[in-house]
């Protein structure tokens, strides 16, 4: 899937998808769920979180 | 996910922030350089001079906005009329908040200076400086957040 297609599917700009990939932006919970549904998987399979930052 | 689009990571809004930042710096240097030169040689800067310089200031910014928006739209075809997404809104919110603080700080300094016997033309200059400072902070914050992350 291209960045543009994912962006369109979740309702953000392609640059926002790029920022999410690079770790420069944490998406809203709503967008995070949309991304996981696009890939038909769970939130934790798409996103990781390290408590130490 | 394919990364074939990664070469175009600069949004239309970030490009506009760059354009307006450059335009604002050029217009402000022009405006304040002339006004400060006149104010050091004359007792008061004549009102028609203030008005004329302000019109030129606005014209410079307008030209930059039109030419810059056209150039940015051509380099990001199809993005100019796309509404702000959640990241754009967050960046806009943070930039506006910092911009407001900068404006208030410069305005407070201006009012304090006026209280201690500044000239009325200095008050006008201070108000202009507050507006410029607010917008400078807004554009710089936008660029910083778009490039370094929110």
């Amino acid at each position: 899937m291209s960045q543009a297609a994912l962006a369109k599917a979740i309702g953000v700009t392609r640059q926002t998808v790029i920022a999410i990939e690079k770790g420069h932006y944490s998406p809203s919970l709503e967008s995070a769920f949309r991304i996981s549904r696009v890939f038909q998987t769970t939130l934790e399979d798409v996103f990781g979180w390290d408590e130490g930052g | 996910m394919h990364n074939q689009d990664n070469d175009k990571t600069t949004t239309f809004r970030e490009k506009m922030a760059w354009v307006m930042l450059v335009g604002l710096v050029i217009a402000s240097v022009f405006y304040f350089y002339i006004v400060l030169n006149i104010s050091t040689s004359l007792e008061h800067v004549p009102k028609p001079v203030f008005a004329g310089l302000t019109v030129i200031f606005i014209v410079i910014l307008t030209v930059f906005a039109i030419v810059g928006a056209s150039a940015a739209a051509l380099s990001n075809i199809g993005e100019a009329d796309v509404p702000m997404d959640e990241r754009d809104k967050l960046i806009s919110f943070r930039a506006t908040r910092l911009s407001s603080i900068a404006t208030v700080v410069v305005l407070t300094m201006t009012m304090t200076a006026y209280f201690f016997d500044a000239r009325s033309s200095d008050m006008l200059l201070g108000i202009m400086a507050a507006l410029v400072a607010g917008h400078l902070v807004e554009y710089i914050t936008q660029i910083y957040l778009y490039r370094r992350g929110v």
Side-chain angles (χ1 to χ4, degrees):
Chain A
M1 177 180 266
S2 70
Q3 291 164 337
L6 178 61
K8 192 175 179 183
I10 63 173
V12 299
T13 61
R14 187 175 47 77
Q15 288 85 358
T16 295
V17 169
I18 294 168
I20 294 170
E21 283 181 348
K22 288 182 175 176
H24 289 172
Y25 174 64
S26 299
S28 65
L29 198 54
E30 188 181 346
S31 291
F33 272 112
R34 284 185 178 146
I35 292 169
S36 66
R37 284 182 184 174
V38 166
F39 292 115
Q40 296 180 321
T41 185
T42 63
L43 268 183
E44 291 201 333
D45 283 336
V46 182
F47 297 100
W49 183 61
D50 178 11
E51 196 164 358
Chain B
M1 197 183 321
H2 302 300
N3 287 328
Q4 76 275 21
D5 299 328
N6 255 343
D7 57 323
K8 283 188 177 179
T9 58
T10 309
T11 65
F12 171 77
R13 286 183 172 74
E14 185 189 336
K15 286 179 182 172
M16 278 308 297
W18 275 111
V19 167
M20 294 311 295
L21 177 65
V22 172
L24 187 60
V25 168
I26 291 171
S28 302
V29 166
F30 163 80
Y31 182 91
F32 288 106
Y33 177 77
I34 293 179
V35 169
L36 290 174
N37 269 347
I38 293 173
S39 68
T40 51
S41 56
L42 297 174
E43 182 76 13
H44 291 284
V45 179
K47 285 179 182 173
V49 173
F50 258 128
L53 286 173
T54 305
V55 168
I56 295 171
F57 180 89
I58 292 168
V59 167
I60 292 173
L61 279 185
T62 307
V63 168
F64 262 86
I66 293 170
V67 174
S70 305
L74 283 174
S75 64
N76 289 49
I77 291 172
E79 290 183 17
D81 56 348
V82 172
M84 285 199 287
D85 69 2
E86 58 183 49
R87 176 167 161 260
D88 295 324
K89 286 176 185 169
L90 184 59
I91 289 173
S92 173
F93 172 76
R94 291 190 179 175
T96 305
R97 190 181 61 174
L98 283 179
S99 162
S100 305
I101 293 170
T103 304
V104 168
V105 166
V106 179
L107 267 183
T108 306
M109 287 165 60
T110 301
M111 290 164 70
T112 307
Y114 187 68
F115 182 76
F116 290 104
D117 201 29
R119 298 173 299 180
S120 59
S121 59
D122 291 339
M123 181 78 167
L124 201 57
L125 197 61
I127 292 169
M128 192 72 177
L131 293 173
V132 168
H135 282 287
L136 280 178
V137 169
E138 183 177 354
Y139 297 138
I140 290 169
T141 307
Q142 280 183 1
I143 292 166
Y144 177 82
L145 292 177
Y146 272 118
R147 300 195 77 80
R148 300 301 299 270
V150 187

